[in-house]
Amino acid sequence: MSTENYVCIACPIGCPLELVHEGDQIVDVSGNKCVRGAKYARQEFTDPRRTFSTTVPIEGSNWARLPVKLAAPVPKDRILEAAQAVHQLRVQAPIRMGEVLARDLLGLDGVNVVATRSLGRA
Amino acid sequence: MRDATTCDVAIIGGGIVGCMIARELSRYRLKVVLVEKEAEVGFGTTKTNSGIIHPGHHTTLDTLKGRLVVKGNQLYDTLQAELGFGFRRIGELVVARTEEEVGVLREMEELAHQKGVPVEMWDQARLRREEPNLSRELIAALFAPTAGVINPYELAFATIESAVLNGVELWVDALVTAIDPVDGGLRVTTRDGELTAHTVVNAAGVFSDRVAAMVGADTFRILPRKGEEYMLDGRLKGLVRRLVFPVPNKVSKGTLIIPTYDGTIMVGPTAIDTDDRHDVSTSPEGARQIFDLVRGLCPSISERDTISEFAGLRAASDTGDFIIGRTAVPGFYNAAGIQSPGLTAAPAIALYLIQQMGEDGLALVEKERWEPQVEHPVRFAQRSVEEQRALVEADPAHGRVVCRCELVTEAEVRAAIAHGARTVDGVKFRTRTGMGRCQGGFCTTRVMELLQEELDIPFHSLTKRGGGSWMVTPMGEEA
Amino acid sequence: MFGRMNRRYDTVVVGGGPAGMGAALGALDAGAGKVLVLERDGEAGGILNQCIHAGFGLQYFREELTGPEYAERFLAQVIDRDIDVMPSSYVTGLAVDSEGTKQVRVLNERAGLASIEAASVVLAMGCRERTRGSIRIPGTRPAGVLTAGLAQKLVNQKGYLPGKRVAILGSGDIGLIMARRLTLEGAEVVGVFELMPYSNGLNRNVVQCLDDYDIPMHLSTTVVEIHGRDRLEAITVAPVDAHLQPQLDKARKVPCDTLLLSIGLIPDNELARQIGIQLDPVTGGPVVSSTLETSLPGVFACGNVLHVHDVVDYVTAESLRAGGFAGEWSREIRRPKDSIQLVPGNNVRYCVPHTLSPDREHTVFMRVKQRVEPARLRVGGLMEKTLRFVIPAEMISLKIQPEMLDRFHGDRLTIDIDPA
């Protein structure tokens, strides 16, 4: 049996998590104050994923950039690749918060690029 | 690059001395060009000057600086009325701690009488009544009411603006690389073009010995002396109302408390010889030295109150005095070695030098019309509520606040750019954007947007103060 | 309505960030009829607009939102409730007449320098960042030394990088977030340098902003010199000893063109200072009663102008309360005077509010001076609580119930946080 230690990133509390495993088999997770911590530790052990926010250039608005986020996380080792793909997007005002700007980024199911604010025409 | 051109007088260096000479020469029917290596005038020693207009009783009459300082001081009221820079005669105190130091005050009092500088000796009771926050250990002070504080960069900006208004040509980003004797005068080669001048004035500050060496007129050396200054939080406004000098001695080297024109208290400067003519770094030793000394004058001042710090280089020469006037090279004049009280003396330096140039044959024929006035910048924050109301009504851009710490409006920033600001620092030193507590954290972006808009140049081409001082770089795909 | 401003309101809120919007809603909930939010920027939302990362709203909206989403959702509620929000409006003064009516002087390009009447006022101006000057880093003064928040604005709103090779001083959350942002945008982040032996940011930000991108964090290390004439060329860093003094013999030079400062936040209290409101030298914010009322009757304060919070949800909760009391005030409802002074005891740097009243529940926010693990929190002799760990960077929130104060007859209540 071996253990892995993580810091939970599910909320600002940042619980120190301990995951006990036997090879690929997870035996126990402790240290979490809520269920999301346990879920996070399991995910982190089997397939670590991250989501991120960035901006894309927007035309026709008072602002130069539109903030966006990913609707679902991408594998941790593909973050930079995903960021580069998002940065290729070009959008035109007006945009509504929640608008999907691109679907299934990098061919990953459900990894949509979503506008995180509304921007009207200049 | 500019086309090669000719002129009557080329002035090398756009510090306060060069600017003053340019403006004085603009009274005459002469073609005058001022060449400056930085992006704007006043960006060298001038910008970092302590901003004190000295009464003149710290220097004896046997030096040129001792003679020019009193005259210079007297010229400031007219200059202020014409040019509208921040200037106020707040008076100075030289304070004594011991009977021995009181003796020194008496000598200074005597010198002041000799030079016609009004002074008043204050006893401890008077000193405590006037400046209750100074150290209880001080026993007497020599008060000189004609001492003033000034925003030196504003003076440089307004002076060059006045000069340009009266026909002087200003070249910036124009570092001088060579000066050669040619038919009809001297050829000045700069990074921005060539210029043949009948007369050349060397007002190149800490680089003036190098400029002089270009024509073999290097009879002196500049020994740059660094001074660090510490600007304190605006909360301390009113703690000390007059300039406070300790009695001059080897340790103090003139470190003092300066209630600046804008009210913010500044302490410094140090005096450290340096070989590096670009060395404007501040140091922990400098801070320690200043605050140790200043605490002895005013115990409630603390290092923790610092909001910003900076350093400048005095263009001190190995002669210890100003080096002003003709040289062995015909047509080449120096206005060099200008250290304290150079700012005070600057208007007098210009008159003194131009008189010599006239004696040497420069035709000083006055123009029929010479405009002494420049438009005075509006300082929204300093106006009364009624005046502010009128300003916004007249120009809605006064209703848009750019710098929230110092309450600077968009109209002020646009005006600063219209009057010559080309850089973020150029706007800052004209309007005070970014000089307050947040040090530009909130307003830098807006100032850059306004510069971009008014100058019609890309956002990423903007600089802090010209040269390689870039502010931002384009992101990924546009890089 | 957005962009509307009348001459008279029940409650005027200064600042349109999360605190201001929360206060406006709180005032309305408490029965204030007409509420105005004055925002100096061109849009409401405050600093949230540039905080494009996720991590906001877990408590208030029960989901994790990005800053702009949190701001937009909140603003929608504010507008829905018919609160007036006036952007590009800068408050230049505040006066109280003999009747107790407040006159708020506001500068706006369309309205000019207008005077707005209000029964109660809420201060919600937020905070600003500490700068190079406040920690006095020696060296030259080149371009390229800027606060993390300014860098964030340049990157997220203007679309420009502050530089290509970036060092970060201080491990505050904005600095950590910016380390990740800059990396995603193609800049190289050479490291984060933290004076203290622990991070000042949230642990999860150390994980997802630094560890994920192999950005090193150098604890007990600080910047001792800045190099470069026009633009930053390098910094000198040195480890610090137990007294936080740099060990210069172990200093090394780190080449970089940008230094971000993430060294703390300070309440932006110029207005409060100008009108003579009593400030707490420790928090930098006003001294407030349990109704979050300042020393000027009818003037309340909340959010980062009161004391710097870690999480926006705390700001919102506090602002709803402050707004509520301001709304009551406008209806001439007066709460009983506080009878208990709250005193920061062992290892407590500050607590807010500064006084309590035994008639109702209170939320007390506090910060410790030093890390303790585990810790015992004691409120006078009234209650005790064990905490897993406490660090200065993480605010502690404590509920105090009226039943508990029933048994208390003193006038000073001391809070201590000692090793357990």
Side-chain angles (χ1 to χ4, degrees), chain C residues 380-392:
Chain C
L382 302 181
M383 74 174 279
E384 257 188 55
K385 193 176 166 183
T386 305
L387 303 168
R388 195 159 61 193
F389 67 93
V390 291
I391 55 172

Side-chain angles (χ1 to χ4, degrees), chain A residues 5-112:
Chain A
N5 289 294
Y6 305 112
V7 171
C8 182
I9 64 171
C11 88
I13 294 171
C15 293
L17 307 174
E18 192 175 281
L19 179 142
V20 183
H21 63 100
E22 183 96 63
D24 288 349
Q25 286 298 309
I26 298 170
V27 179
D28 184 43
V29 177
S30 58
N32 54 306
K33 278 189 179 170
C34 77
V35 289
R36 290 187 307 156
K39 194 176 155 206
Y40 171 76
R42 286 167 192 280
Q43 180 78 42
E44 194 69 0
F45 180 70
T46 47
D47 171 24
R49 285 180 174 248
R50 294 289 186 273
T51 176
F52 61 84
S53 304
T54 185
T55 63
V56 297
I58 182 166
E59 299 248 310
S61 161
N62 280 329
W63 287 42
R65 312 293 286 201
L66 172 73
V68 298
K69 69 177 182 184
L70 299 186
V74 296
K76 201 173 122 180
D77 54 9
R78 297 188 73 183
I79 299 175
L80 289 177
E81 191 189 343
Q84 275 162 16
V86 176
H87 292 157
Q88 299 310 310
L89 297 172
R90 294 291 177 276
V91 296
Q92 189 78 38
I95 292 280
R96 299 295 305 167
M97 177 172 76
E99 223 174 291
V100 175
L101 308 172
R103 291 190 185 280
D104 302 339
L105 196 73
L106 306 175
L108 296 163
D109 227 19
V111 181
N112 297 343

Side-chain angles (χ1 to χ4, degrees), chain B residues 235 278 281-282 287 303 306-307 309 389 392 396 400 404 437-438 449 459 465 468-470 472-473, chain C residues 40 90 107 109 113 128 131 133 136 138-139 141 143 150 153 158 160-161 164 229-231 270 273:
Chain B
R235 205 152 33 79
H278 297 288
S281 61
T282 50
E303 280 184 71
T306 306
I307 59 162
E309 54 196 89
R389 198 162 276 143
V392 195
R400 295 190 287 269
R404 48 174 92 160
R437 290 185 185 85
C438 91
E449 284 170 354
F459 195 73
R465 51 166 177 262
S469 64
W470 54 277
V472 296
T473 176
Chain C
R40 51 191 160 196
Y90 182 94
L107 181 60
E109 63 174 307
L113 193 60
R128 61 188 155 85
T131 65
R136 297 213 12 256
R141 302 189 63 77
L150 174 55
K153 189 168 179 175
K158 291 300 292 176
Y160 288 88
L161 288 175
K164 293 164 192 151
R229 221 184 111 203
D230 286 349
R231 177 76 196 190
E270 291 334 291
R273 204 188 297 277

Side-chain angles (χ1 to χ4, degrees), chain B residues 418-438:
Chain B
H419 287 264
R422 291 291 171 271
T423 61
V424 173
D425 274 3
V427 171
K428 171 177 169 177
F429 286 103
R430 281 174 177 83
T431 64
R432 297 188 62 76
T433 51
M435 278 201 189
R437 290 185 185 85
C438 91

Side-chain angles (χ1 to χ4, degrees), chain C residues 129-334:
Chain C
E129 298 176 277
R130 293 181 74 204
T131 65
R132 175 181 174 182
S134 57
I135 54 165
R136 297 213 12 256
I137 313 172
T140 54
R141 302 189 63 77
V145 180
L146 65 163
T147 59
L150 174 55
Q152 187 176 46
K153 189 168 179 175
L154 288 168
V155 173
N156 292 346
Q157 297 189 311
K158 291 300 292 176
Y160 288 88
L161 288 175
K164 293 164 192 151
R165 201 178 144 80
V166 184
I168 300 175
L169 174 62
S171 59
D173 285 307
I174 316 172
L176 301 180
I177 299 279
M178 282 314 293
R180 175 175 62 181
R181 264 309 278 145
L182 290 165
T183 307
L184 287 178
E185 293 294 354
E188 182 194 356
V189 178
V190 298
V192 174
F193 302 92
E194 169 57 54
L195 176 73
M196 303 306 287
Y198 46 80
S199 161
N200 264 313
L202 297 171
N203 282 330
R204 74 160 180 173
N205 284 335
V206 176
V207 172
Q208 60 184 358
C209 299
L210 302 187
D211 298 354
D212 279 0
Y213 302 91
D214 298 322
I215 297 167
M217 161 114 80
H218 305 275
L219 296 174
S220 298
T221 306
T222 195
V223 176
V224 292
E225 193 170 355
I226 284 172
H227 308 271
R229 221 184 111 203
D230 286 349
R231 177 76 196 190
L232 182 67
E233 286 161 16
I235 54 174
T236 299
V237 299
V240 296
D241 62 21
H243 308 287
L244 304 182
Q245 291 306 305
Q247 298 168 280
L248 294 178
D249 52 322
K250 292 178 189 157
R252 68 189 169 94
K253 217 165 170 174
V254 179
C256 55
D257 62 23
T258 306
L259 175 64
L260 296 195
L261 304 176
S262 179
I263 50 179
L265 302 166
I266 313 168
D268 201 10
N269 260 312
E270 291 334 291
L271 184 62
R273 204 188 297 277
Q274 187 195 320
I275 58 184
I277 283 175
Q278 190 193 349
L279 299 181
D280 175 340
V282 179
T283 57
V287 171
V288 289
S289 71
S290 64
T291 58
L292 302 171
E293 189 183 8
T294 68
S295 61
L296 197 58
V299 177
F300 301 78
C302 59
N304 286 345
V305 82
L306 179 55
H307 61 125
V308 175
H309 298 58
D310 313 334
V311 218
V312 73
D313 294 272
Y314 284 161
V315 169
T316 298
E318 182 178 272
S319 310
L320 287 165
R321 278 187 281 124
F325 291 119
E328 283 184 358
W329 181 280
S330 74
R331 297 171 54 219
E332 295 183 7
I333 295 173
R334 298 290 180 269

